[in-house]
Amino acid sequence: MKTWSVKFLENIEISKFIFQSNANSMLSIFSDIENVREIKITEFENQIKAWSNENSIGVREIWNELADEHFDHYNHYKNHINYMVLNSLFISTFSLFENHLNRIAELAYEELKPSIKIVDIKGNGELDTCRKYLNIVCNVKSANSDFHKWQEIIQYKAIRNSIVHNGSVLNRAEKENLEKIPGYPLIKKYNMWHTPKVVYFRINQVNFLEDFIKLSIDYSINIVYELTH
């Protein structure tokens, strides 16, 4: 069994703690913003109701004036803020996870000083490169690509990449069989609004974020435990 230095073990625990704390704080941020959103929606609904009671001009004129004064803001809070916030928090959480896994790999390299460096490993992106390094060089079995948690993470990664690189479009070309598109199983699981064939989607449920946070933390715990025991 490898005898790890105290410094290595401390740094691993610090990285794990920071990641878990920051990831869980995303849910608190969403809750705070959701409270503000609900207050704003109620305010605009009351303004619209009051405005309607005080005006008796024609329907077309009412619509035009209402859109100018109230409707744009109401529509923003009612239909757009939610998914925009969830997109941002999910992307931020994914970045935290990516940075944490990279930190684990870097600490392991500094401790073990193997001949193979992280940059010598070719993976499908930075996250996969770190996973491969931990699996191949550090012999962490739970970092194997066949590990079921990693297969779930791949699905979330497809959603993340679509948001960041493709304007929330999952596939550029039309496809009849959407089931084979990475990320689509999550769209179905969380009943996301989406278009057919070329899938433009919106994250609309906080449990999507909650489940990714739990998944990434559990994955991190497995990696750290196996690496340090």
Side-chain angles (χ1 to χ4, degrees):
M1 178 183 292
K2 165 70 179 175
T3 301
W4 301 102
S5 68
V6 173
K7 182 181 179 181
F8 169 79
L9 294 174
E10 287 178 346
N11 285 335
I12 282 283
E13 287 301 315
I14 289 170
S15 181
K16 186 175 73 171
F17 173 79
I18 291 173
F19 166 61
Q20 292 181 11
S21 177
N22 288 342
N24 283 320
S25 72
M26 297 298 174
L27 297 177
S28 176
I29 292 170
F30 177 81
S31 179
D32 291 343
I33 294 175
E34 184 67 5
N35 288 337
V36 172
R37 188 178 81 94
E38 290 174 357
I39 291 170
K40 286 289 187 181
I41 288 172
T42 301
E43 286 178 356
F44 285 123
E45 286 177 343
N46 290 336
Q47 289 174 8
I48 291 170
K49 183 177 180 180
W51 187 94
S52 299
N53 291 336
E54 294 171 1
N55 291 270
S56 58
I57 56 180
V59 173
R60 183 176 295 278
E61 288 79 6
I62 288 175
W63 176 261
N64 290 338
E65 188 170 339
L66 184 60
D68 289 341
E69 292 188 7
H70 303 296
F71 185 74
D72 286 345
H73 292 300
Y74 175 72
N75 185 50
H76 178 64
Y77 281 96
K78 183 73 174 177
N79 299 314
H80 299 297
I81 280 285
N82 191 280
Y83 87 87
M84 292 169 68
V85 169
L86 285 171
N87 276 6
S88 299
L89 294 178
F90 170 60
I91 291 168
S92 296
T93 306
F94 200 96
S95 294
L96 290 173
F97 175 55
E98 195 170 52
N99 291 337
H100 174 51
L101 205 65
N102 183 59
R103 177 63 174 159
I104 293 174
E106 287 179 344
L107 289 171
Y109 171 74
E110 291 169 3
E111 180 77 3
L112 295 171
K113 295 181 174 56
S115 58
I116 301 174
K117 300 178 181 179
I118 298 173
V119 294
D120 296 329
I121 300 292
K122 182 175 177 58
N124 184 18
E126 183 178 5
L127 188 67
D128 189 52
T129 296
C130 294
R131 176 202 62 77
K132 273 189 173 182
Y133 188 82
L134 290 167
N135 179 226
I136 297 170
V137 179
C138 303
N139 198 33
V140 177
K141 293 181 175 58
S142 55
N144 188 288
S145 61
D146 292 332
F147 190 51
H148 73 280
K149 289 187 185 298
W150 180 254
Q151 295 306 312
E152 293 179 54
I153 289 168
I154 289 297
Q155 295 295 320
Y156 280 97
K157 182 183 177 183
I159 296 292
R160 179 264 180 197
N161 288 347
S162 296
I163 295 171
V164 173
H165 301 299
N166 206 25
S168 295
V169 175
L170 201 61
N171 55 303
R172 293 179 182 274
E174 287 191 11
K175 290 186 181 295
E176 294 295 335
N177 186 1
L178 300 178
E179 301 294 335
K180 295 183 178 180
I181 302 174
Y184 188 74
L186 292 177
I187 289 176
K188 285 190 64 179
K189 178 180 179 180
Y190 294 99
N191 195 29
M192 295 183 198
W193 176 89
H194 65 280
T195 56
K197 295 186 179 179
V198 174
V199 181
Y200 169 74
F201 63 90
R202 287 186 173 183
I203 302 172
N204 53 8
Q205 296 186 33
V206 70
N207 59 341
F208 171 86
L209 178 63
E210 290 171 338
D211 289 351
F212 175 70
I213 289 171
K214 183 179 185 304
L215 172 65
S216 58
I217 288 176
D218 287 348
Y219 187 83
S220 163
I221 289 172
N222 283 332
I223 295 290
V224 169
Y225 181 84
E226 186 179 343
L227 184 62
T228 56
H229 286 76

